[in-house]
Amino acid sequence: MAIPPDILRIASMLDDADENVGVNLLAQLLERADELEDLPAVLQESADPVVRRRAHQLQSALTMRRRRRDFHRRLTADANPDLLAGLEELHLLWFDRDSAAALHTAAEEFAADFRSGGPTSLEEVEFFLRRRSFLPEPESTIVPESYCLGTILDRRAGAGSVLLALAAELAGGAGLRVVRTLDEFALIDGRGGILLGGGAWRLCPAPEVRALEFWNSRMILRYVAATLLSCAVNSDSYRYVMSIAQALGGDDSEHVFDRFPYPFRATAPEPEAKED
């Protein structure tokens, strides 16, 4: 399909030195993202450094939009989502300059290492995590490094929820399930045991089932995304708040901020009228 002439006309003006003009032109191109074809790649080969820089900005924005949409589709699909792939997508929504290929390689190496040992019991899972020096951090440690897959694998430390959910998924048919009891995440087996991960690995008898909340991979991904959204709000990061909120809600527009308080919303709420 040929690129429409009006898009080519907009692209021809990307060499304008005025940054405000450049931002406006990029916004127009992003509105026509489905019609751009290979234009961003062609523009990145331009001899003009201004055009190249803006072409890279355009490609980066398109990549982030695709990642947000991919995550939302995964989260809302009928089938229970692939946890490892979803965690990769969330990592790249936060650490957006990291290499997707390098992250995927690290994730696959971790998965292969785990499966090579074939842990099928809570004792074997705990032994693997201890042997590989993975430390579970409390869920109250609300920093992105504790919830993003790449930094967890690099630091050998992360939220217990993520590490235990990964173990349950990679253990396959071992019958291990992720649960939450009080403020801790844990793994439970069918033999009355539980592996807690709230700051330290602890094996103990499981409480009664009615004291447990069972979680699947969709719930874990929503939880991690919501936690990253909290990190973004706490850091007053407009860009990250918008990115994570769009991925969760499936809304690519800035209307996602309509549900947020000022200053993320464009205007402050009107003061309530005082009664006479």
Side-chain angles (χ1 to χ4, degrees), residues 120-126 176 187-189 193-195 203:
T120 58
S121 68
L122 294 180
E123 292 79 7
E124 290 171 344
V125 168
E126 184 204 26
L176 305 179
L187 277 188
I188 191 169
D189 59 17
I194 193 169
L195 173 60
L203 275 168

Side-chain angles (χ1 to χ4, degrees), residues 79-207:
N80 203 36
D82 182 303
L83 180 69
L84 199 61
L87 290 173
E88 287 183 46
E89 289 167 349
L90 281 173
H91 175 102
L92 293 169
L93 285 176
W94 189 277
F95 294 105
D96 51 8
R97 294 186 179 180
D98 283 1
S99 164
L103 174 63
H104 183 67
T105 297
E108 288 297 307
E109 288 176 351
F110 171 78
D113 185 30
F114 186 95
R115 288 173 175 141
S116 67
T120 58
S121 68
L122 294 180
E123 292 79 7
E124 290 171 344
V125 168
E126 184 204 26
F127 179 71
F128 171 85
L129 293 170
R130 286 185 184 277
R131 183 161 49 95
R132 294 295 186 269
S133 302
F134 279 100
L135 299 175
E137 296 175 326
E139 301 302 315
S140 56
T141 308
I142 305 179
V143 293
E145 290 80 7
S146 297
Y147 291 88
C148 289
L149 181 63
T151 49
I152 290 174
L153 297 179
D154 184 56
R155 295 163 59 235
R156 298 294 173 114
S161 55
V162 177
L163 288 170
L164 291 170
L166 281 171
E169 176 145 314
L170 295 175
L176 305 179
R177 298 187 64 186
V178 180
V179 297
R180 189 165 189 175
T181 173
L182 299 177
D183 292 328
E184 283 194 75
F185 281 89
L187 277 188
I188 191 169
D189 59 17
R191 305 192 305 272
I194 193 169
L195 173 60
L196 296 167
W201 302 121
R202 288 169 289 152
L203 275 168
C204 53

Side-chain angles (χ1 to χ4, degrees), residues 37 49 59 75 78 86 109 112 148 226:
E37 297 291 323
Q59 186 61 66
L75 205 58
D78 291 337
E109 288 176 351
C148 289

Side-chain angles (χ1 to χ4, degrees), residues 32 95 103 111 156 194 207-208 212-213 250 264:
R32 308 279 296 277
F95 294 105
L103 174 63
R156 298 294 173 114
I194 193 169
E208 296 182 8
L212 303 174
E213 182 181 82
F264 295 106

Side-chain angles (χ1 to χ4, degrees), residues 242-263:
M242 182 173 69
S243 184
I244 303 297
Q246 287 176 337
L248 273 169
D251 184 349
D252 279 331
S253 75
E254 293 193 9
H255 289 299
V256 293
F257 286 116
D258 293 346
R259 302 181 185 90
F260 283 80
Y262 181 81

Side-chain angles (χ1 to χ4, degrees), residues 260-262 265-274:
F260 283 80
Y262 181 81
R265 190 166 58 188
T267 57
E270 294 292 333
E272 294 183 6
K274 295 182 179 180

